[in-house]
Amino acid sequence: MAWDEWEQCKTDAAANGSAQMQLNQSPSEGGNPAGPASEDLKSDKKAWVAAGEGVTSLKVGVGKALTKLADGQAGLGDTGGSRSAAAQKELYGSWKKYVSDVSGRCDALGGLLQKAGHDLSKSDQEVKAEIEKLDVRYKDTEAVGGRTKGR
């Protein structure tokens, strides 16, 4: 009995023509296949480029901080006889790496933003993937302060 009913449904569907899919969206107007809402979607290349330049310019301030950090270490000399001098040297090495990475991150992210402004043909997923690569490359260093390191 069920098989006969199925055959009847198929026959009825064939007689009525194929069913059309209807998407739950606003109707397309003005020849824009994505609909009128997408006509309001705009991206300003200048805004992307300005954001990229702003982030890249942070590198200058970070570079100055790195120089001041290095100047503060000048004349430290041998740290073998002083535990606080040895700790300062260790802390300096950690901060030097961290601040250098921040500088590199500013440069890389600023470049990506500028490139997005110049080349808006990339999809959101492609831009997101490139930013995620930066997160992996410039993963924050683990905190080192307050540990005795076997002392």
Side-chain angles (χ1 to χ4, degrees):
M1 174 117 169
W3 188 256
D4 293 332
E5 189 175 0
W6 172 246
E7 289 298 324
Q8 183 61 44
C9 287
K10 289 189 333 184
T11 303
D12 291 346
N16 292 332
S18 65
Q20 292 185 353
M21 181 189 304
Q22 179 178 353
L23 298 176
N24 190 11
Q25 68 183 33
S26 58
S28 177
E29 295 175 10
N32 184 349
S38 67
E39 292 171 1
D40 295 333
L41 181 61
K42 294 183 172 102
S43 183
D44 185 359
K45 287 183 180 184
K46 289 180 183 177
W48 282 93
V49 171
E53 289 171 350
V55 172
T56 303
S57 72
L58 295 173
K59 194 176 150 182
V60 173
V62 171
K64 289 178 183 176
L66 193 55
T67 299
K68 287 182 181 181
L69 191 60
D71 290 346
Q73 291 298 296
L76 184 59
D78 183 26
T79 60
S82 171
R83 288 177 41 186
S84 64
Q88 180 180 343
K89 184 175 182 181
E90 181 181 334
L91 184 62
Y92 167 71
S94 170
W95 274 99
K96 180 179 178 184
K97 180 188 180 327
Y98 184 81
V99 173
S100 294
D101 285 351
V102 168
S103 178
R105 181 179 264 179
C106 288
D107 192 37
L109 180 57
L112 275 176
L113 291 171
Q114 288 180 38
K115 186 175 179 187
H118 290 296
D119 182 18
L120 290 174
S121 65
K122 283 190 176 184
S123 69
D124 290 347
Q125 291 81 11
E126 289 172 315
V127 172
K128 183 180 178 189
E130 291 205 22
I131 290 173
E132 287 172 350
K133 286 179 192 175
L134 285 179
D135 287 341
V136 170
R137 181 174 175 194
Y138 293 107
K139 184 176 180 172
D140 286 341
T141 57
E142 188 177 330
V144 294
R147 293 198 206 137
T148 60
K149 283 203 169 189
R151 292 181 212 147

